[in-house]
Amino acid sequence: MAKNGARSWLVKWRTGGGRGGKEDFETCYERPIAEDFATLVELSGENRPHGYPKGCHGVEDPHFDGTLDADMPTFEQYARHDYATRLGAAPTQRFVYLTEAERHVFPFFGHLPLDRVTRRVLREWAEWMLAKPSARNEHQPAPRMSDEQAARRWARTNDVAVKKTGRVPPGVLRQWRDAGSPRPAPPAPATLSPATAAKVYRGAIKPVFKAAMQQGENGEPPFLSSSPCDGFRLPTGPVTARAILYGPEVDTYLQAVHDIDPDTALFIVTEMATGLRWGEIAGLHVSGLDPVGCVIHVVQTYAYLLDETTGRRRWQLRLYPKGKKQRDVPICHELATLLARRANGRDPGQPLFQGRGGGYIDYANQRNNVLQPALERAHQRGLAKHITPHALRHTMITMLRDGGVAPGVMQLIAGHKSYQTTAGYSGQHTPAQRTLILNSVHPVIKAAAFLFSDPGHDGETSP
């Protein structure tokens, strides 16, 4: 039984039946289905039965057709081969491609041969993606809200004094029961965004068809002569502007973080003053700081990578930054002094910023225990934006643009591989940009001063 109360049966086996075979499994939500599926696995020689793709929950795929051409691989078969052999992709990225395909692609058209995936299939897949729940599914309902949780929600809605955490006072529980024990209506299930569909399409679908149009390694003819992706357009979603802090908003946010945890405040100041990614600061060693030259040497990053020994992802140090290019980022004397004090007494190979128990900072702990409470406090003080660690990097790069830094220098400081990524920051007007625009056109307004001083032009149209 799952933690949320859903009953499930797990069918596990090793491919081929050998002790060295790869472990496979399927979760079933009815016992007869689990028993029948286990029998099919045994009859298939301890292999996944045909017509039962990953994530089928023991139910045969209704689209399965046993009469298909055996020489033409299905999309799932060819995609798995492509992900495993794709040149230039790191093991973590290959793992991400496969995980996304198993979750969002294979269940819809993974059973189809490559030559039967058409633009119509892709269009129907995109529509299916945009209607797909983003988190929990029908077999994993949201856990029921406890009485204390419901009472706290009711109390805060009706201006009854109650703490955000801890036990709810008996008096508040009594008032809640006297009011009829109301519970909030369950939220409408969220669906996947167009950005998620585009990410899956560009990484796990489109490159597969491009590879299928190429010859094999030994000169085998290509499987396809054209790609269904040619002429296909994904549905577009609303374009949201980057969340960037301006002027007094910077002070509001930094003060809120400092009130929660002063150590994290220095981390955030460093991120905002250098434009480094979160992992580049978390993975910054004492040896990467040059307080005399007022420079930070970005040579590595702390990232969520695939552990090939376990087949799972975990936070670990990667000995090169994103883009595989080291860079030097200048810092001001004041920040260099603060960071030098923090590095004092530590070994060069130790992280400059450490968690409470030593070692590298835990991203989830920092987000849940410091950044989220600080953001709530900043919202109470008037900040109306949702700020993430990466938004601080956007803030710094936007400040460089507003300060007139050359685009090429901005690209070097930001560590962008492509100039187009840096140029994307020019598509949004900021208060500083507005001032520059108005100052630029001020000669026109100055030359037309006689119009503004002529009362005959106040709200009247010339004949």
Side-chain angles (χ1 to χ4, degrees):
M1 180 177 293
K3 293 182 180 179
N4 56 22
R7 296 178 62 85
S8 62
W9 288 263
L10 189 66
V11 180
K12 297 177 65 176
W13 69 95
R14 290 192 176 275
T15 304
R19 296 180 61 182
K22 181 180 179 181
E23 188 177 89
D24 200 354
F25 67 91
E26 193 63 55
T27 302
C28 305
Y29 293 96
E30 294 183 17
R31 183 165 185 168
I33 293 178
E35 294 175 346
D36 293 343
F37 183 72
T39 302
L40 288 174
V41 171
E42 183 178 356
L43 294 176
S44 301
E46 297 298 322
N47 291 296
R48 179 173 289 276
H50 293 293
Y52 293 81
K54 187 76 172 179
C56 66
H57 306 301
V59 179
E60 184 177 9
D61 187 348
H63 301 287
F64 176 69
D65 185 357
T67 64
L68 297 176
D69 183 5
D71 294 333
M72 178 64 66
T74 65
F75 179 86
E76 178 176 354
Q77 292 172 339
Y78 190 80
R80 289 182 180 275
H81 169 75
D82 176 66
Y83 303 150
T85 59
R86 188 174 295 182
L87 297 177
T92 301
Q93 194 60 52
R94 294 175 183 174
F95 176 80
V96 170
Y97 292 147
L98 179 59
T99 302
E100 290 180 343
E102 289 179 340
R103 182 181 303 170
H104 300 304
V105 181
F106 296 162
F108 191 85
F109 62 80
H111 62 283
L112 292 179
L114 283 172
D115 57 355
R116 292 200 183 183
V117 180
T118 61
R119 284 199 300 271
R120 178 184 59 79
V121 173
L122 293 180
R123 176 179 55 80
E124 293 175 350
W125 168 82
E127 295 172 352
W128 173 75
M129 281 285 288
L130 297 181
K132 186 178 180 183
S134 60
R136 301 180 185 273
N137 56 40
E138 57 192 15
H139 301 297
Q140 297 174 323
R144 185 176 183 271
M145 182 177 291
S146 67
D147 288 353
E148 288 204 354
Q149 290 173 328
R152 179 178 283 108
R153 183 76 63 86
W154 172 84
R156 298 182 65 182
T157 304
N158 292 275
D159 297 328
V160 178
V162 64
K163 295 182 179 180
K164 291 184 178 181
T165 59
R167 304 290 297 182
V168 175
V172 175
L173 282 171
R174 192 179 308 112
Q175 294 180 50
W176 173 70
R177 293 192 179 98
D178 292 341
S181 303
R183 295 179 181 274
T191 56
L192 297 178
S193 67
T196 300
K199 176 184 176 184
V200 175
Y201 171 75
R202 292 168 184 157
I205 296 179
K206 190 174 181 179
V208 174
F209 288 109
K210 182 177 180 180
M213 295 172 59
Q214 307 296 325
Q215 286 187 343
E217 294 180 349
N218 297 320
E220 300 91 345
F223 287 105
L224 299 177
S225 58
S226 62
S227 169
C229 299
D230 296 338
F232 173 71
R233 295 292 182 269
L234 282 168
T236 58
V239 179
T240 57
R242 291 187 175 98
I244 298 173
L245 297 174
Y246 304 122
E249 295 176 340
V250 176
D251 180 68
T252 301
Y253 183 75
L254 289 180
Q255 189 62 52
V257 176
H258 184 271
D259 292 345
I260 300 295
D261 183 41
D263 289 341
T264 303
L266 180 57
F267 185 100
I268 295 301
V269 169
T270 304
E271 185 172 9
M272 196 179 300
T274 61
L276 283 109
R277 301 175 178 90
W278 184 92
E280 292 172 342
I281 300 180
L284 177 64
H285 285 181
V286 174
S287 60
L289 172 65
D290 180 5
V292 177
C294 294
V295 171
I296 289 180
H297 305 290
V298 184
V299 298
Q300 58 195 13
T301 186
Y302 192 55
Y304 195 50
L305 305 174
L306 176 67
D307 187 340
E308 298 189 59
T309 59
T310 62
R312 297 183 178 182
R313 298 174 73 182
R314 65 179 180 86
W315 288 96
Q316 50 188 309
L317 190 67
R318 185 171 62 188
L319 300 180
Y320 52 87
K322 186 176 180 180
K324 300 182 179 180
K325 288 186 177 180
Q326 301 179 1
R327 67 186 190 279
D328 293 340
V329 177
I331 57 177
C332 64
H333 176 73
E334 293 82 358
L335 180 58
T337 302
L338 289 175
L339 296 179
R341 292 175 186 171
R342 189 174 189 85
N344 187 28
R346 296 186 180 179
D347 295 334
Q350 288 184 327
L352 182 62
F353 293 94
Q354 299 183 6
R356 296 189 182 278
Y360 295 98
I361 292 178
D362 184 270
Y363 178 80
N365 286 343
Q366 186 189 76
R367 178 193 60 200
N368 298 334
N369 298 332
V370 181
L371 297 183
Q372 288 291 356
L375 185 60
E376 292 180 5
R377 183 167 298 192
H379 287 166
Q380 295 172 358
R381 297 175 180 176
L383 182 65
K385 299 177 180 178
H386 179 73
I387 300 299
T388 63
H390 207 66
L392 305 178
R393 170 176 164 84
H394 294 163
T395 296
M396 186 270 186
I397 299 175
T398 304
M399 288 178 177
L400 294 182
R401 186 199 68 178
D402 291 347
V405 177
V409 177
M410 288 173 54
Q411 179 183 357
L412 292 175
I413 297 298
H416 288 152
K417 184 177 181 180
S418 170
Y419 170 72
Q420 293 182 348
T421 305
T422 309
Y425 289 85
S426 62
Q428 182 175 351
H429 288 170
T430 65
Q433 288 290 312
R434 175 182 171 84
T435 301
L436 290 175
I437 293 172
L438 295 180
N439 289 342
S440 298
V441 301
H442 183 69
V444 177
I445 303 301
K446 184 177 179 180
F450 67 94
L451 294 177
F452 300 104
S453 61
D454 184 359
H457 288 272
D458 292 344
E460 296 183 4
T461 306
S462 300

